[in-house]
Amino acid sequence: MPVDAREFTAALAQYAAGVCLLTVRDDIDDVGTTVSSVMSVSASPPLVAVGLTAGGYPAEVLEAVGSCALTVLAAPHAIVASRFASAGRPSARHLLETVPWTRAEGSGAIVLREAPAALDCRLERLVEAGDHVLALLRVEDVPVLNPAAPPLLRVRGRFVDETGAAAGRG
């Protein structure tokens, strides 16, 4: 019996996931998108995988550029996560006007300074996976590491802090 797409989505919404911001700098602008499908793949070599919408602009730009940054968002970054989850968003720099950021050395992509962590990555390959692609990323640097910063989580369609309370709006 085929699984109903709504039931499938509702079931996975019960799973709390960390929230990240994937950014890519190309010759024209900065592109960013909120992602919660992130997993550690290997420590040696350091690899992570990120799920992106197949045919979506962030995946296209990542494939063309070949490098990106992945920022683990902090609980106060809930508004940032919301902004980058919306379709038709403007340049990443415009969405981050009030948020302290810098550029990762290797990729040149934006990373948030007050995040729990950020990874500077090189694209190993894209793997087709239904209506998404998995971006296999080799981690080349850890430009931000603030273990005391509280993580942002997504569960049941809401952004929450590690206690389950609605996350800040900073």
Side-chain angles (χ1 to χ4, degrees):
M1 168 197 286
V3 175
D4 179 74
R6 287 179 303 205
E7 277 186 323
F8 176 73
T9 301
L12 291 183
Q14 306 309 305
Y15 178 72
V19 183
C20 295
L21 174 63
L22 182 132
T23 55
V24 180
R25 182 180 191 184
D26 69 8
D27 294 335
I28 301 168
D29 208 350
D30 292 281
V31 175
T33 189
T34 301
V35 293
S36 57
S37 297
V38 178
M39 72 176 200
S40 172
V41 175
S42 170
S44 182
L47 298 170
V48 294
V50 177
L52 299 169
T53 302
Y57 189 63
E60 290 174 15
V61 173
L62 175 58
E63 184 173 30
V65 172
S67 61
C68 66
L70 190 64
T71 300
V72 177
L73 296 179
H77 293 140
I79 192 72
V80 170
S82 293
R83 287 176 183 165
F84 281 92
S86 303
R89 57 197 165 270
S91 164
R93 289 187 315 274
H94 296 297
L95 294 175
L96 295 170
E97 287 177 336
T98 62
V99 179
W101 59 270
T102 190
R103 292 200 180 273
E105 191 173 315
S107 66
I110 291 172
V111 294
L112 305 189
R113 289 185 192 151
E114 298 171 356
L119 308 173
D120 196 12
C121 304
R122 174 111 2 237
L123 178 64
E124 288 281 312
R125 67 179 170 271
L126 292 176
V127 179
E128 291 183 26
D131 59 1
H132 279 63
V133 293
L134 293 178
L136 185 60
L137 306 171
R138 178 183 294 263
V139 179
E140 298 190 331
D141 191 19
V142 180
V144 175
L145 185 58
N146 299 314
L152 179 64
L153 304 173
R154 182 166 175 85
V155 64
R156 297 182 180 140
R158 298 179 329 131
F159 293 117
V160 298
D161 66 17
E162 71 273 19
T163 70
R169 295 290 177 193

